[in-house]
Amino acid sequence: MYYIGIDIGTSSVKVLAIDEAGKIVKTVSREYPISYPFPLWSEQNPNDWWEQSKLALKDILEYIDKDKVKSIGFSGQMHGLVILDSEDKVIRPAILWNDQRTESECRFLNNEIGKDKLLSWTANIALNGFTAPKVLWVKQNEPDNFKKIAKICLPKDYIAYKLSGEFATDYSDASGTLYLDVKNKKWSDDMMRILDIDENKLPKLYDSFSAIGTIKKDIATELGLPAEVKIVIGGGDQAVAAVGGGIVENHHCSISLGTSGAVFATSDEFVMEDEGKLHVFCDARGKYHVMGVTLSAAASLKWYVEDFLKASSYDEVLTEVEKSDINENIYYLPYLSGERTPHNDPDAKATFLGMTVRHERKDMTRALLEGVCYSLRDCYELMHEVGINPKEIIINGGGAKNDFWCQMLADVLHTKIKKLDINEGPALGAAILASVGDGKYSSVSNACQDIIKTTKEFTPDEVSSKIYSEKYKKYKSLYPMLKDFFSSL
């Protein structure tokens, strides 16, 4: 038997197959473009996701026995707005999670409707990346398109709909829309009223491990799959990455060091940070999680190496940083796309500070890596404030491939970090959810205990941790001093 996971990422779709023992058989990725038509805008064509997903599925099915595929599960970039008309045609390009155009809509929601009301209705405040402000933006700026809306989807749910014909979502992904009542796991009547949308335009809600139906006959024929293959709805990428990392018990914690960075911690009980600086979402286990997000984590390194330095390789840049001095006082604020946690400020700008004539490239590189770690610590500190105190952290994402950065993060957070023996994150989590949805395992926890293993540990160095704690205090003082300057640019 085989279980397939599909992860609709920001830059590519990844399709992964595991066998009955949970072993990864094959992974395939296919890229698609991102459009930036105006400053702060970020869009994609949902049909690109669909076409590349089908091609990736066809690629992976060449390596396995198609007749033994039992189910397909999903993970996807969160918060994206996909709107369909009455004929199920995409009305306009999807507005993505990192799109920053909705500042005025967020001001309206947070200030005129009020953060207290939003927190009581949804457990979260309005952020530019969330889906609800995007709905308002379309209503106010593209009224003709707004009138055409028959269905409102999230990215992975669009692909699940194309495969199954079932208009569905899960609680974890829906939590990031700002129109789900997270505590009570239902669409918020108050938010639907404010957005001027009816519940019939929203998908049916499921747990992430639920089978929503079977593959459509025409798609099964096209792909050569059995008609009884189950479609399991899966979840938002961070919740599903947690499954792929074995973060499935109370107060487990993971850090995703991907394009964005996310500090993710599970909670069996509903908890909420008073000012809404942390996201409070449903998780893929059927319970809750809290999450803080750094918008430009590995994205900072990618920009620095490829666009700023135009270096020939990452290895060259990251090898020399190991010779840099921890005591240098250069600071980097990783706000290339504004920042989410804890500032919720789309105007924040990436900044290097403290350089002198004696500093070299290796010092700037260290400052950049440190800056991302400090931003993640901002999130981690908020976890402590709501009573979540993890004893260790599982790390995943592309940045986790670099051991120097992993050790630095362990030192900055003063917490042991473990690396997985495999680093497939959301795609593996989606395949695990597919196996649970098919009945192979009785729970997500049981599946992860059987499948997920760790391989490497990074224990905090006490001397380095002390130095980083002092530097973190200086880092925290920078944003308040620069906030007004950022907003004036």
Side-chain angles (χ1 to χ4, degrees), residues 429-444:
I432 292 172
L433 290 170
S435 71
V436 177
D438 186 55
K440 164 67 176 173
Y441 294 97
S442 61
S443 70
V444 177

Side-chain angles (χ1 to χ4, degrees), residues 80-288:
L81 176 67
V82 183
I83 50 178
L84 309 180
D85 64 17
S86 58
E87 297 180 351
D88 286 343
K89 294 180 180 178
V90 175
I91 295 171
R92 67 166 333 279
I95 306 177
L96 302 188
W97 61 274
N98 56 351
D99 188 284
Q100 298 289 312
R101 77 184 70 179
T102 59
E103 184 176 356
S104 63
E105 288 76 20
C106 287
R107 276 200 305 268
F108 165 74
L109 290 168
N110 287 328
N111 299 335
E112 296 188 36
I113 301 302
K115 291 182 180 180
D116 289 343
K117 287 183 178 178
L118 295 179
L119 287 168
S120 67
W121 296 341
T122 72
N124 295 280
I125 63 172
L127 302 177
N128 281 332
F130 284 0
T131 320
K134 297 178 175 72
V135 175
L136 282 180
W137 185 91
V138 173
K139 180 183 177 182
Q140 294 166 5
N141 294 275
E142 298 177 352
D144 290 341
N145 283 338
F146 186 81
K147 292 176 183 176
K148 296 177 186 176
I149 295 176
K151 293 182 177 70
I152 299 176
C153 302
L154 294 164
K156 72 150 190 351
D157 302 325
Y158 176 70
I159 304 305
Y161 181 56
K162 296 285 283 187
L163 278 174
S164 69
E166 297 295 331
F167 186 41
T169 192
D170 78 294
Y171 295 112
S172 74
D173 215 0
S175 297
T177 63
L178 199 68
Y179 42 85
L180 182 80
D181 176 349
V182 172
K183 183 177 182 179
N184 297 302
K185 296 186 175 181
K186 64 178 184 177
W187 297 121
S188 166
D189 292 331
D190 294 295
M191 285 303 297
M192 287 189 290
R193 174 179 52 79
I194 289 167
L195 299 177
D196 193 21
I197 56 176
D198 299 322
E199 189 167 353
N200 61 10
K201 294 180 180 178
L202 300 179
K204 186 176 179 180
L205 291 158
Y206 291 88
D207 281 315
S208 300
F209 47 83
S210 298
I212 61 171
T214 55
I215 192 168
K216 291 167 61 177
K217 291 182 179 179
D218 59 328
I219 303 300
T221 299
E222 180 180 352
L223 298 175
L225 287 170
E228 62 271 16
V229 169
K230 294 177 182 176
I231 303 299
V232 176
I233 192 59
D237 53 3
Q238 296 301 328
V240 180
V243 173
I247 309 301
V248 291
E249 303 296 340
N250 193 37
H251 289 198
H252 274 192
C253 182
S254 69
I255 288 181
S256 175
L257 200 52
T259 302
S260 61
V263 182
F264 177 107
T266 55
S267 177
D268 287 351
E269 305 298 327
F270 177 82
V271 296
M272 189 169 67
E273 194 271 330
D274 290 342
E275 297 180 19
K277 291 179 180 178
L278 285 175
H279 306 332
V280 182
F281 292 168
C282 301
D283 72 2
R285 306 174 300 152
K287 296 183 180 178
Y288 299 96

